[in-house]
Amino acid sequence: MDLYDFPPLYDALRSPDPSTLDLIREILEAELPGGVRSIMDPACGPGNWLLPFLDRGVRLAGNDLSEAMVGYARQRLEPYGMEVVHGDMRALRFESGPFDVGMEVSGSACMLPEPGDFAKFLNSLETHVRPGGLVLLTIFFRDGFEDAPRPRLLSEWGPIPVANGGSAWIRYESAAWDEERARERIRRTVRAEGVPGCPAELIDEFDLRIWTPESFRAALAETRHLELVRWHSLEDGPVALSDGLRGEQLAVLRRLPARVSAPAPVAAPASVTA
C-alpha cells in the first residue's frame, strides 16, 4: 500500500499550492484571451487540480489509472456532468473533448517508467487538445545535487487535517540517483493520526525522470503538433526560453493546427503511340 491507495489522505497532503493555481490562471488568461471553456487532466488523482475551476463554468474531465482515485473523483465531479475516465495517460480516450487546456501539473508524467512513455503520453495528450489550445506540464530538471550524499531531504510538511478525520504529515527524500537512466529514486513517508482506515505510517518509493533541456526538446520533437511557448519556474519565477532550466518548471505548450500536406503533383499524361 502507498499514499495513492488512500484518496482522501492524498487529497489533503497533495492539495494544489495556491501560488501555482494563481500562476496557472494568469497563464490561461494571457495565452487564451478568448476565455477557457474546457480543461482536462490526464492524471487527475482525486480531481483536486480540476475542482478550483468548477465555479467558473468550465467543462472539466479527468483520467486516472487508479480505480480508487477515479471513484473518488467521480463522486466530486460527475454530479456536475463532468467526465471522469479510468485509463492510461499514454492512451487517453476522453469522449467530451477536444479541450482548450490539457493540464498535468502534479508531476505524474515524469514518473512514467519506460524511456518512450513520455512521448506516447504527449502524442495521446495532443489529440485531445484543440488547435490553438494549451498544454501545461510540470517538468523536473537537474538541480546540481545529482552527486550529493543520499538520503537527501527534499521537503516535508504537516500536520494537515484530512477531510474524513485525523491529520497527517508527509516527507520527501531523494534516496538514490541513477545517472545512466536519468532517474531519481524518491522516498515518500506519510505519518497519519486518527485517519479512518489508514495505517499510522506509509512508505513508498518511485523513480522520477529528471530532464535536461536537450532531452526535453528531443521528447517534444517526437510530437506532431506541440510547440513550446514559455517556461515558469515553480521555485523562482518566469524563465526565458534561452535560460538554463533547473529544478521544478512549468512548461507552457501550444497545440498547433494540423499540418496540411502539399498536394501531390499531377503526373503528365502518358504519350500514346499508334
Side-chain angles (χ1 to χ4, degrees), residues 18 20-30 52-53 55-56:
T20 302
L21 276 173
D22 288 343
L23 172 61
I24 289 171
R25 293 187 180 103
E26 291 172 8
I27 291 170
L28 299 185
E29 290 175 4
F53 297 92
D55 62 353
R56 298 187 172 210

Side-chain angles (χ1 to χ4, degrees), residues 38-42 59 61 63 83 85 88-103 120-131 133-135 224-226 255:
S38 57
I39 300 174
M40 68 90 159
D41 186 337
R59 176 169 54 88
N63 171 88
E83 181 184 15
V85 179
D88 192 321
M89 69 165 67
R90 294 162 292 190
L92 296 168
R93 48 186 180 86
F94 290 109
E95 296 181 357
S96 57
F99 301 91
D100 293 333
V101 181
M103 184 172 68
K120 291 178 183 177
F121 159 66
L122 288 182
N123 279 296
S124 179
L125 182 63
E126 71 174 5
T127 63
H128 293 275
V129 175
R130 68 165 176 82
L134 295 182
V135 169
R224 295 178 292 273
H225 308 301
L226 292 178
R255 166 67 154 89

Side-chain angles (χ1 to χ4, degrees), residues 123-169:
N123 279 296
S124 179
L125 182 63
E126 71 174 5
T127 63
H128 293 275
V129 175
R130 68 165 176 82
L134 295 182
V135 169
L136 305 182
L137 300 174
T138 292
I139 303 294
F140 299 92
F141 288 92
R142 291 174 180 250
D143 57 9
F145 291 98
E146 289 74 30
D147 295 327
R150 263 69 176 185
R152 180 170 70 89
L153 178 64
L154 300 176
S155 60
E156 58 183 343
W157 59 91
I160 302 294
V162 181
N164 59 349
S167 57
W169 294 254

Side-chain angles (χ1 to χ4, degrees), residues 14-228:
R14 298 280 297 164
S15 61
D17 174 59
S19 63
T20 302
L21 276 173
D22 288 343
L23 172 61
I24 289 171
R25 293 187 180 103
E26 291 172 8
I27 291 170
L28 299 185
E29 290 175 4
E31 298 293 340
L32 296 173
V36 176
R37 298 175 299 276
S38 57
I39 300 174
M40 68 90 159
D41 186 337
C44 68
N48 51 4
W49 284 97
L50 292 170
L51 285 169
F53 297 92
L54 191 60
D55 62 353
R56 298 187 172 210
V58 177
R59 176 169 54 88
L60 305 173
N63 171 88
D64 205 273
L65 194 59
S66 163
E67 291 186 4
M69 284 295 185
V70 168
Y72 189 82
R74 281 175 175 165
Q75 292 177 15
R76 310 172 88 183
L77 292 170
E78 283 192 343
Y80 301 95
M82 308 302 179
E83 181 184 15
V84 182
V85 179
H86 176 228
D88 192 321
M89 69 165 67
R90 294 162 292 190
L92 296 168
R93 48 186 180 86
F94 290 109
E95 296 181 357
S96 57
F99 301 91
D100 293 333
V101 181
M103 184 172 68
E104 200 295 284
V105 292
S106 65
S108 298
C110 291
M111 297 167 62
L112 292 168
E114 300 301 326
D117 284 346
F118 190 76
K120 291 178 183 177
F121 159 66
L122 288 182
N123 279 296
S124 179
L125 182 63
E126 71 174 5
T127 63
H128 293 275
V129 175
R130 68 165 176 82
L134 295 182
V135 169
L136 305 182
L137 300 174
T138 292
I139 303 294
F140 299 92
F141 288 92
R142 291 174 180 250
D143 57 9
F145 291 98
E146 289 74 30
D147 295 327
R150 263 69 176 185
R152 180 170 70 89
L153 178 64
L154 300 176
S155 60
E156 58 183 343
W157 59 91
I160 302 294
V162 181
N164 59 349
S167 57
W169 294 254
I170 190 168
R171 176 185 180 96
Y172 284 91
E173 297 171 286
S174 174
W177 168 249
D178 186 333
E179 177 67 32
E180 182 177 352
R181 297 176 60 243
R183 296 292 197 278
E184 188 169 19
R185 173 58 60 92
I186 305 298
R187 180 181 299 127
R188 178 169 56 193
T189 303
V190 174
R191 292 189 297 112
E193 289 185 358
V195 178
C198 182
E201 186 174 71
L202 290 165
I203 301 175
D204 66 302
E205 294 188 355
F206 54 88
D207 288 338
L208 191 68
R209 173 71 183 269
I210 306 297
W211 298 84
T212 65
E214 294 75 19
S215 63
F216 182 81
R217 283 196 296 268
L220 189 59
E222 295 185 51
T223 67
R224 295 178 292 273
H225 308 301
L226 292 178
E227 70 169 359
L228 179 63

